[in-house]
Each structure stands twice: as structure tokens, then as C-alpha cells.
Amino acid sequence: ISSQVYTPMAATMIGGMTPPLGIALATWLFSNRFTAEERGTAGAAGVLGLSFVTEGAIPYAARDPLRTIPALILGSAVAGAISMAAGVELKVPHGGVFVLPIPNAVTHLGIYLLALLAGVAVTAVALRILKKPVTAAA
């Protein structure tokens, strides 16, 4: 940002919002892939994702890293790639979706939001594909 190169910041923030938001969506759409506890904390993960607090994804990744982490990487890569390809610039270092209404904070806002939705959807679908259904004991 201090070099006045703003496209990497946009890709960084969207890549950090995607994992917890994708997990939250996956727990709602594909609930049989998650424990009751994971489904119960999905709302908090979603709020953290909206705020660009990627750490909301850590408990999920820690429980099943070999299946969860690749899904998170894939969704973030898609979102970041779309953001970079569109030349989206973000002039603030943090804040998630809450900074998007600030005038001149982000360029190409519509494409940026589409990139976020695409990354979240890819994450959720990848989790559906990669994670096994939870047994009744879990």
C-alpha cells in the first residue's frame, strides 16, 4: 500500500475472507459433512469472514486438515485470481466487507463482490466433495 500498488491488497483481503465464509456456507448447505459443534459455530465463522478474520477457519482446518485446507486454498485462489485479473484495487489494509462502502477504498466493486461469491462457492463445493459424511457418533 505504501508503494501505491493496491491490487495485491485486494487479492489478499478477498483470499482471507473466503475460507471462513466458504466454511459457513458449506455447513449450511452440506450439514452432513460437519459435526453438530461445527454447524453451531458456523455463524461465528461467517461473521469473522466478513470482517477479514481468517482465523475463523482454523478450528475446521485443524479437525480435518487434509480435506479442508485444499478446499480453502482452492476457493481463495479463485477469488484472488478473479480480483487480480479484474485489476481490483483496495486502498485499506483491513476491515473486510465493512470497508467496501468507503468512497474510493475499492475499485471495480461489483467484480470484487462477484469474486468473493465465486471463491466462497468454490470453497463450499470443494468441502462437499472432499469431506466425508459425519457418522452419527461424531
Side-chain angles (χ1 to χ4, degrees), residues 1 4-15 17 78-92 96-97 99-102 104-118:
I1 291 177
Q4 298 182 0
V5 178
Y6 305 111
T7 52
M9 189 67 243
T12 298
M13 192 158 81
I14 204 167
M17 290 190 299
V78 166
I82 293 170
S83 175
M84 290 295 289
V88 176
E89 296 181 339
L90 184 67
K91 298 177 181 175
V92 294
V97 298
V99 301
L100 301 183
I102 298 172
N104 301 316
V106 63
T107 63
H108 310 296
L109 180 59
I111 293 173
Y112 197 60
L113 292 173
L114 286 175
L116 179 61
L117 292 175

Side-chain angles (χ1 to χ4, degrees), residues 23 57-66 68-69 72:
I23 287 171
I58 290 174
Y60 298 85
R63 283 195 175 147
D64 191 6
L66 296 178
T68 303
I69 293 173
L72 304 182

